[in-house]
Amino acid sequence: MEIGKVLSYIQITVLILIIILCLIYCISVLLINRFHHRTHLFSFNVGLSTILCCSYWTFVYIITRINPRYFYSIKLCVFTLYGETMFTLQVPLSLIIVSINRLCFIRYNIGIYFKQKYSIFISLISQWMIGIILPLVLLIRDRTNCFVPTWMRYYTFIIMIILPLCLSIIINSIIFVHVRSSTNRIHTEITPVSNQQRISRRDIHLLRHMILMLLVFVIGWCPIYIISILLNYMTLN
């Protein structure tokens, strides 16, 4: 069996497994009353974004195995790039919405806004609308061939990697600085050893969480789009 086929089957299997796990979580959030909380609603949105993203790519991989030229015909290749970007972009945007929610609760004391369900839905709908609108630029291209201009590669790299990464760094840095300053303020007022250890562990956990999210995001997405840009230059040359 060809290596390409084996890799495709592995990709499809992993994607289906992710879809099943996310479906289990999303169904649990919907059916179990104690999960009907704003935090779980944002997590549900992350799961839903992941399900749609993985479903799209599973469909693409399956059809590509059956008919490799289907998605890259002149009629469909324009919409293929838009679909890839739109569905994939929803995942990092859903994580950014979670961070914004955390920031509002921890730093700016406007958590009451997110306690109202309609406000949560407005936030989530805004995320989906942004994810739909940003890739629309990719539809503005020559439709007589499937060549993707270099500027589109850069634009995709910016909205998929640079923009979410910068937002994540800024938002989580503000959260960490605020938590750190709050910890120091508590230490100056009350200094029992157990409390210091508990707060210190919280700081370390938060920092590790930030670093892990950034590493997973960069390692997972960045190489794909960098290779895409390099291949585009190689094609031009």
Side-chain angles (χ1 to χ4, degrees):
M1 187 178 293
E2 297 178 3
I3 296 178
K5 289 184 178 180
V6 174
L7 292 176
S8 295
Y9 293 141
I10 293 174
Q11 289 171 331
I12 293 171
T13 302
V14 171
L15 288 170
I16 292 175
L17 180 61
I18 294 173
I19 292 172
I20 293 173
L21 293 175
C22 289
L23 275 175
I24 293 173
Y25 176 77
C26 290
I27 292 172
S28 301
V29 172
L30 291 175
L31 298 181
I32 301 176
N33 289 331
R34 65 188 179 89
F35 287 160
H36 294 173
H37 186 266
R38 53 178 171 73
T39 303
H40 292 292
L41 286 177
F42 284 102
S43 299
F44 174 85
N45 182 58
V46 175
L48 180 61
S49 301
T50 305
I51 289 172
L52 292 177
C53 176
C54 292
S55 297
Y56 175 83
W57 282 107
T58 301
F59 177 71
V60 169
Y61 284 134
I62 291 175
I63 298 300
T64 301
R65 292 309 313 168
I66 298 172
N67 185 2
R69 297 183 179 181
Y70 178 78
F71 283 108
Y72 300 98
S73 62
I74 295 177
K75 293 182 179 180
L76 289 179
C77 61
V78 174
F79 300 100
T80 299
L81 179 60
Y82 173 80
E84 292 174 358
T85 307
M86 190 270 290
F87 282 105
T88 307
L89 181 60
Q90 296 297 345
V91 177
L93 287 180
S94 65
L95 294 172
I96 295 297
I97 289 294
V98 175
S99 296
I100 292 175
N101 175 54
R102 291 173 57 210
L103 176 64
C104 292
F105 266 83
I106 295 174
R107 178 66 179 85
Y108 295 108
N109 297 320
I110 57 174
I112 188 65
Y113 172 81
F114 289 100
K115 289 183 180 179
Q116 302 172 9
K117 287 187 177 180
Y118 76 88
S119 301
I120 295 175
F121 289 131
I122 290 175
S123 301
L124 299 183
I125 291 173
S126 299
Q127 169 228 308
W128 284 91
M129 291 304 298
I130 292 172
I132 292 172
I133 292 172
L134 284 179
L136 285 175
V137 179
L138 302 176
L139 297 177
I140 307 173
R141 52 181 283 197
D142 183 8
R143 300 194 180 187
T144 60
N145 58 69
C146 290
F147 178 75
V148 180
T150 303
W151 71 267
M152 282 192 178
R153 300 287 186 185
Y154 279 110
Y155 179 78
T156 306
F157 180 74
I158 289 172
I159 65 173
M160 287 293 302
I161 303 297
I162 303 300
L163 181 61
L165 184 59
C166 290
L167 289 174
S168 180
I169 291 174
I170 292 171
I171 294 171
N172 286 291
S173 296
I174 294 173
I175 293 173
F176 180 77
V177 170
H178 179 72
V179 171
R180 190 67 181 175
S181 62
S182 299
T183 299
N184 293 334
R185 189 165 57 249
I186 292 173
H187 284 176
T188 59
E189 296 174 359
I190 305 172
T191 56
V193 175
S194 60
N195 191 41
Q196 290 182 6
Q197 292 176 346
R198 178 168 54 85
I199 293 173
S200 177
R201 288 174 183 173
R202 183 184 64 179
D203 291 341
I204 294 174
H205 176 73
L206 180 60
L207 181 59
R208 286 177 178 174
H209 181 67
M210 289 169 50
I211 294 174
L212 179 62
M213 288 181 62
L214 292 175
L215 285 177
V216 170
F217 186 84
V218 172
I219 293 173
W221 294 106
C222 195
I224 297 174
Y225 292 97
I226 290 177
I227 291 173
S228 176
I229 293 173
L230 292 176
L231 288 176
N232 198 64
Y233 271 115
M234 292 172 63
T235 302
L236 290 175
N237 293 333

